[in-house]
Amino acid sequence: MKKRIILGSASPRRRELLAQIGVDFEVRVSGKDEVYKSSVPEEIVKELSLAKAENVAEELAADSDGDMVRDTAVIGADTIVVLDDEILGKPEDEEDAVRMLTRLQGRAHFVYTGVSVLDFGADGEKNVINYSVGTKVYVNAMTEEEIRAYAATKDPLDKAGSYGIQGRFAAYIDRIDGDYYNVVGLPVSRVYRTLKEIGAN
């Protein structure tokens, strides 16, 4: 019997990517605040993804009157954009998006995604798999007009770093070093291998 797979993320892009590779999964979003202690980007995303997965697992256990979670894999993920050692989150508004995009244009930056898979066995025992994947993204030089036109589409407003590589902003991506899907929000090949290794897919 295959394990039940639960994606602990509200991201429509992560849902699309998992569905794209044929994974049968449910979505369960944790509403808890995201906090972290590390100052290293690769470790921050690992912390955040693990917290998301743990929160979802706790809620699953609470739903079953405290019974242990069994035969289930819970996936947590978190993506950040880093420029000059500074994390660029989601923009507050259109002007904030313009500010971020102005900084990114003509330069390279890093995108890190942390993935945590909580693998619960038939006996309720938990195995934790936690890693991060980094991709270097090179953005072409952009005019102020191009930046403002893209920001005006509202596409940047729900995205870390104020852009989505899979949409209109693709016109300004020079190249990447690493996993493209990691920049979209989930390194699906690595996730697929992980699920295969634990017998969940």
Side-chain angles (χ1 to χ4, degrees):
M1 185 180 76
K2 285 187 178 180
K3 291 180 185 285
R4 177 187 184 193
I5 299 173
I6 296 177
L7 174 63
S9 173
S11 166
R13 289 163 292 279
R14 292 193 184 112
R15 297 181 199 184
E16 288 166 9
L17 289 174
L18 267 189
Q20 180 180 318
I21 62 170
V23 174
D24 186 17
F25 65 96
E26 305 166 37
V27 174
R28 177 90 181 228
V29 181
S30 170
K32 291 196 177 180
D33 291 338
E34 298 177 7
V35 293
Y36 57 86
K37 297 177 182 177
S38 179
S39 59
V40 180
E42 297 97 315
E43 295 302 319
I44 290 171
V45 289
K46 285 170 66 176
E47 273 190 61
L48 291 173
S49 65
L50 183 58
K52 288 179 180 180
E54 293 280 12
N55 290 339
V56 169
E58 287 170 11
E59 290 170 8
L60 287 171
D63 284 354
S64 56
D65 295 326
D67 282 352
M68 290 186 291
V69 181
R70 303 173 191 275
D71 287 321
T72 300
V74 179
I75 304 169
D78 193 85
T79 301
I80 60 174
V81 174
V82 180
L83 177 71
D84 298 333
D85 296 324
E86 179 186 343
I87 296 173
L88 303 183
K90 295 177 183 177
E92 295 177 4
D93 52 31
E94 198 173 307
E95 276 305 312
D96 195 29
V98 168
R99 180 186 64 78
M100 281 193 214
L101 292 166
T102 299
R103 292 184 61 193
L104 291 174
Q105 63 87 30
R107 302 189 59 196
H109 62 274
F110 286 90
V111 177
Y112 296 100
T113 297
V115 176
S116 295
V117 179
L118 305 184
D119 173 28
F120 292 92
D123 57 359
E125 284 294 310
K126 178 177 69 177
N127 175 37
V128 180
I129 302 160
N130 186 216
Y131 52 84
S132 66
V133 176
T135 303
K136 193 172 187 179
V137 181
Y138 297 79
V139 180
N140 284 325
M142 300 170 67
T143 65
E144 183 179 352
E145 183 181 5
E146 287 172 325
I147 290 170
R148 290 196 172 277
Y150 175 62
T153 67
K154 310 298 183 188
D155 185 58
L157 298 184
D158 68 336
K159 296 175 178 66
S162 298
Y163 76 90
I165 195 172
Q166 72 279 18
R168 182 171 167 178
F169 199 75
Y172 308 112
I173 300 295
D174 177 36
R175 67 189 189 279
I176 67 170
D177 290 339
D179 184 344
Y180 165 81
Y181 295 103
N182 187 55
V183 184
V184 179
L186 196 68
V188 285
S189 177
R190 179 83 179 267
V191 171
Y192 178 80
R193 293 199 310 273
T194 302
L195 293 175
K196 191 176 176 181
E197 286 164 6
I198 65 174
N201 205 48

